C-alpha cells in the first residue's frame, strides 16, 4: 500500500473510532449517571457529566487530528496517552471490584488495545511520509 493510501485508511479508522467518544459523551452529558445507575447521588451525577464533557473534548481532539493526521503526532500521542491512562484506571477497577458491564469492557479494550494500535499506526504513517515524530 502506498503511504498516501495508508494515511487515508488511518484517517478513516480514527474517524470511525471517534463515534464512540461522541456517542458515549453526549449520552453521559444529556442523561447523566442515571444512564448507568438508577437514581444516582447528586455528586456522582455531577462528576459523571463533568467527565463526559472531558470525554467529548477528547473526541473532538481526536477528530481534529483526522485532516493531516501524519502531521499531528504530538496531539495524537497526548490524546492517546489520556485514553490509555483512563483505561489503566478502569483496569484497576476491574482488579479491585470485578468485571464491569459489557459496554465498559468494550471501552477497556478500546482504551488498552485499539488506541495503542492507532498510536503505533499513526507513527508509522508519519514515518513513511518522512515527517518528524
Amino acid at each position: 500500500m502506498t503511504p498516501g493510501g495508508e494515511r487515508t485508511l488511518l484517517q478513516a479508522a480514527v474517524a470511525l473510532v471517534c463515534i464512540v467518544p461522541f456517542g458515549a459523551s453526549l449520552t453521559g452529558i444529556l442523561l447523566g449517571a442515571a444512564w448507568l445507575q438508577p437514581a444516582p447521588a447528586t455528586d456522582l451525577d455531577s462528576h459523571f457529566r463533568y467527565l463526559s464533557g472531558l470525554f467529548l473534548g477528547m473526541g473532538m481532539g481526536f477528530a481534529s487530528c483526522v485532516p493531516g493526521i501524519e502531521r499531528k503526532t504530538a496531539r495524537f500521542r497526548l490524546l492517546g496517552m489520556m485514553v490509555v491512562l483512563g483505561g489503566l484506571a478502569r483496569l484497576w477497577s476491574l482488579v479491585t471490584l470485578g468485571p464491569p458491564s459489557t459496554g465498559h469492557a468494550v471501552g477497556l479494550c478500546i482504551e488498552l488495545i485499539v488506541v495503542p494500535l492507532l498510536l503505533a499506526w499513526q507513527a508509522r504513517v508519519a514515518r513513511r511520509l518522512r515527517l518528524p515524530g
Side-chain angles (χ1 to χ4, degrees):
M1 178 179 297
T2 67
E6 187 175 8
R7 176 186 55 218
T8 300
L9 193 58
L10 173 61
Q11 288 172 310
V14 170
L16 183 64
V17 171
C18 280
I19 293 170
V20 173
F22 286 136
S25 63
L26 290 173
T27 302
I29 290 167
L30 295 173
L31 301 179
W35 174 38
L36 301 172
Q37 180 183 48
T42 303
D43 286 348
L44 174 64
D45 186 76
S46 174
H47 193 64
F48 187 84
R49 289 177 199 252
Y50 170 78
L51 293 175
S52 294
L54 291 179
F55 195 35
L56 177 61
M58 289 171 61
M60 293 168 72
F62 274 111
S64 76
C65 291
V66 172
I69 195 163
E70 72 281 4
R71 297 183 312 274
K72 304 209 175 116
T73 300
R75 181 185 316 170
F76 201 75
R77 285 181 182 168
L78 175 63
L79 291 163
M81 177 207 59
M82 293 167 69
V83 171
V84 170
L85 287 173
L88 291 172
R90 192 190 302 264
L91 181 62
W92 180 249
S93 176
L94 183 149
V95 168
T96 59
L97 297 176
S101 64
T102 302
H104 288 268
V106 168
L108 181 63
C109 291
I110 291 170
E111 294 152 0
L112 297 182
I113 298 169
V114 174
V115 169
L117 289 173
L118 288 172
L119 288 167
W121 191 8
Q122 189 279 337
R124 173 186 155 87
V125 166
R127 200 172 39 255
R128 285 189 74 198
L129 292 169
R130 293 185 177 85
L131 295 168

